[in-house]
Amino acid sequence: MPVMDFGDALNLALKEEMRRDGRVYCIGEDIVLGLPFGVTKGLAEEFGLARVRNAPISEAAIVGSSLGAAMTGLVPVVDMHFADFVTCAMDEVVNQIAKSRYMFGGQIACPLTLRMPYGIGKSAGGHHSNSVEAWFVNTPGLKVCMPSTPADARGLLKTAIRDPDPVLIFEHRALYRVQGEVPAEETLVPLGAADVKRAGTDVTVIATARMVGEALLAAEMLAEEGISAEVVDPRSLVPLDRATLAASVAKTHRVVIAEEGPMRASVGAWLAWVVMEQSFDELDAPIARVAAPDVPIPFSPPMEAFVTAHAGQIVAAARELMK
Amino acid sequence: MVEEGAPTPAPDASHARIARAMTHAPGPDQLLQMYAAMLRVRRFEERARELYHAGRIPGFIHLSVGQEGVAVGVGAALRRDDYLLSTHRGHGHLIAKGGSLRALMAEIFGKATGCCKGKGGSMHIADASVGYLGANGVLASGCVLAPGVGLSIQMRGTDQVVAVLFGDGAANRGPFHEGVNLSALWRAPVVFVCENNSWASTTAHELSTAGGSIAARAAGYGIPGVAVDGNDALAVHAAVAEAVRRARGGDGPSLIEAKTVRWLGHHEGDPQAYRPKSEVEEGRRQDPIARLRAHLEGAALLDAAHAARVAQAIEADVEDAIAFAESSPLPEPHHALDDLFVHWPWKD
């Protein structure tokens, strides 16, 4: 199987979908040059500037125009540049894109994809580092996915583009240059299908995106202590594959939920409720959570490292559950 | 008063306006249709107001009585397959675009037969069958949807246009500026129409809008900016028709500021303590329906008997819509869970 990095896998998905469907176009800031993370590089050369559209720094217009285009027959793929900047288009995402189909009684569809480069790292500071997926999981009308591997990135982005509804795909900045095997043939990864990234018997670690890698590292460390951790990656949060979570908990009876965003009212808090609701009788210990402290992301490296969720915290939480 | 980028639009008719109006002047049939359309909007809203105060309509309604000249001036300049993006004060816009009175009335009643199955209500109506892509509860939000609709038209290679209506208050939100800028950059077939009724809810235009003229803002984006008397449906029509002609021809967007008078409150129930009564009295003297009727009578296109027939037919249509809404079923409560997604095979 060919090996490529996460960013190139996304690039491949865009090329495949733009070749397949002439209605698909990309829009964002600096995307003709492939900035900021290389995902759109080479697209303008192949598809031209009409379908690879550099936009002014006008997030409301970038996102809002994509809804206007989607409801009248096009299939936009929006590059949010940094997910943090979606705040400048919150009305467009939350009030317009998420609600239009519902509010209008199903008269219109909104087949658009919002690519959300996000996440902590490299001292990007408070306006370029945040995990904002919880806002959108809490917004009815949006589908939300979070790939952790190059193969999942390609397969989920292709699915997102083909989906007739709005899909947000969160691409962690720290993963763009991570390598992995990607099937040579065209492969879709469905929404609502979790993936067990490592099988185990003692504790289930639920993690998405960058935290999957941390969870796998934690599982290696726990194995040395004789603790067998199973790593479950939901891959999409909306829809959520509850059955795979339930099956894992039925096997391990202990759960650590790891996420990069802040602790309060988060995706992890919701997943903990899902596990409690569907697997209460299976649990042998309280559900443990790993998340960031409830502060903005600080700039200086030691402070940034301090608030970055990591494998060591997962190991500590799992150990505690095994006592 | 059709002046491109004019900083202070003159209130009187200029030669330029007359000359351009002539090129798009509606024929006798269309003039009569415009008259009937304005009356249809007026009577629909007057009856909706009565029904609202009688407790038949839930929520809030924002009425456009007095502003019909804008709705119909715009609607008459568009084709059925053109698009329209509207506002929270959008009943008249939908009627002028050819939407069904029955489906509209049923929607604001919250009935299952409404154009949005009761999920939208007065502030969030839509009727895609006539290109009406939605009223909007958030001001100026349509201004950023518009360039995307325009892009879709360009990429699909049709000669449609999209008109986007918004109020003077909305012209002070960022999306107005972002939407005009992007449309101008793309030379998108968009017609921006500011319905300036001089009140942003309860805040006066002069206290909210620096520079005074919204039309003049067009100059900053290098597109035509035109101010017209919004109480003159023919002036609105002439300006919009010219902007539509430009848009269809690939010459890009225009901005039209139509100055009008909101006869009623911001919403029904607004006591309007902030506003002198004389303003509405002055507005009533500029009644767009009376003005077009006088024009039609002057041109011998309408007499009293004909006008009575028109009024009678409209009365029947409006009462039919009310009867339809009243007799329609309320939605089943669990239908609150429908229509969120096109594709949702999951149980979650």
Side-chain angles (χ1 to χ4, degrees), chain B residues 93-222:
Chain B
H93 305 155
L94 178 51
I95 294 168
K97 191 70 176 68
S100 151
L101 294 190
R102 281 185 164 199
L104 174 58
M105 190 66 90
E107 183 60 32
I108 69 178
F109 267 69
K111 295 299 184 75
T113 54
C115 50
C116 303
K117 303 182 193 170
K119 290 201 175 74
S122 169
M123 273 192 281
H124 317 101
I125 50 177
D127 187 347
S129 70
V130 292
Y132 185 97
L133 298 177
N136 211 306
V138 184
L139 303 187
S141 287
C143 292
V144 286
L145 270 57
V149 177
L151 176 65
S152 160
I153 292 166
Q154 288 173 324
M155 289 181 68
R156 287 185 284 111
T158 73
D159 72 341
Q160 295 162 289
V161 302
V162 54
V164 53
L165 285 145
F166 55 99
D168 48 304
N172 295 321
R173 279 203 70 228
F176 161 73
H177 295 276
E178 290 194 19
V180 173
N181 182 59
L182 194 61
S183 299
L185 282 172
W186 289 354
R187 294 178 77 83
V190 181
V191 181
F192 289 90
V193 182
C194 177
E195 199 166 7
N196 183 353
N197 64 21
S198 81
W199 289 99
S201 189
T202 67
T203 301
H205 179 67
E206 58 271 23
L207 297 179
S208 63
T209 306
S213 168
I214 291 162
R217 294 179 177 185
Y221 299 104

Side-chain angles (χ1 to χ4, degrees), chain B residues 205-298:
Chain B
H205 179 67
E206 58 271 23
L207 297 179
S208 63
T209 306
S213 168
I214 291 162
R217 294 179 177 185
Y221 299 104
I223 65 170
V226 173
V228 295
D229 179 354
N231 301 317
D232 178 352
L234 298 181
V236 175
H237 177 269
V240 176
E242 169 61 14
V244 166
R245 185 194 63 76
R246 284 178 52 89
R248 281 204 214 289
D251 292 331
S254 305
L255 171 61
I256 293 159
E257 178 182 6
K259 297 185 175 185
T260 184
V261 182
R262 192 189 78 203
W263 291 11
L264 303 173
H266 169 63
H267 58 88
E268 274 313 290
D270 171 8
Q272 302 192 72
Y274 50 87
R275 182 185 193 193
K277 285 195 167 56
S278 58
E279 188 184 297
V280 175
E281 287 160 15
E282 173 55 28
R284 287 178 188 274
R285 280 193 286 278
Q286 300 175 41
D287 181 355
I289 298 177
R291 283 172 69 171
L292 186 56
R293 180 169 172 166
H295 176 86
L296 290 168
E297 287 171 347

Side-chain angles (χ1 to χ4, degrees), chain A residues 228-253:
Chain A
S228 168
E230 175 152 301
V231 177
V232 180
D233 176 1
R235 297 198 289 193
S236 82
L237 295 171
V238 185
L240 180 69
D241 179 356
R242 289 170 177 249
T244 298
L245 299 183
S248 182
V249 178
K251 188 164 60 164
T252 64
H253 310 292

Side-chain angles (χ1 to χ4, degrees), chain A residues 53 56 58 60-61 64-65 68-69 71-72 74 91-92 96 101-105 107 141 143 164-165 191 239 242, chain B residues 115-117 119-120 124 126-128 133 136 138 141 144-145 148 151-152 156 178 182 336 338-339 341-343 346 348:
Chain A
R53 307 183 75 89
S58 302
S65 69
M71 61 205 269
T72 55
L74 301 186
D91 172 56
E92 287 67 30
Q96 312 300 332
R101 176 174 177 78
Y102 180 85
M103 240 172 27
F104 300 155
Q107 288 183 72
K143 297 174 180 175
D165 296 308
L191 297 174
R242 289 170 177 249
Chain B
C115 50
C116 303
K117 303 182 193 170
K119 290 201 175 74
H124 317 101
D127 187 347
L133 298 177
N136 211 306
V138 184
S141 287
V144 286
L145 270 57
L151 176 65
S152 160
R156 287 185 284 111
E178 290 194 19
L182 194 61
D338 298 343
D339 295 322
F341 294 110
V342 176
H343 180 69
W346 303 280
D348 200 10

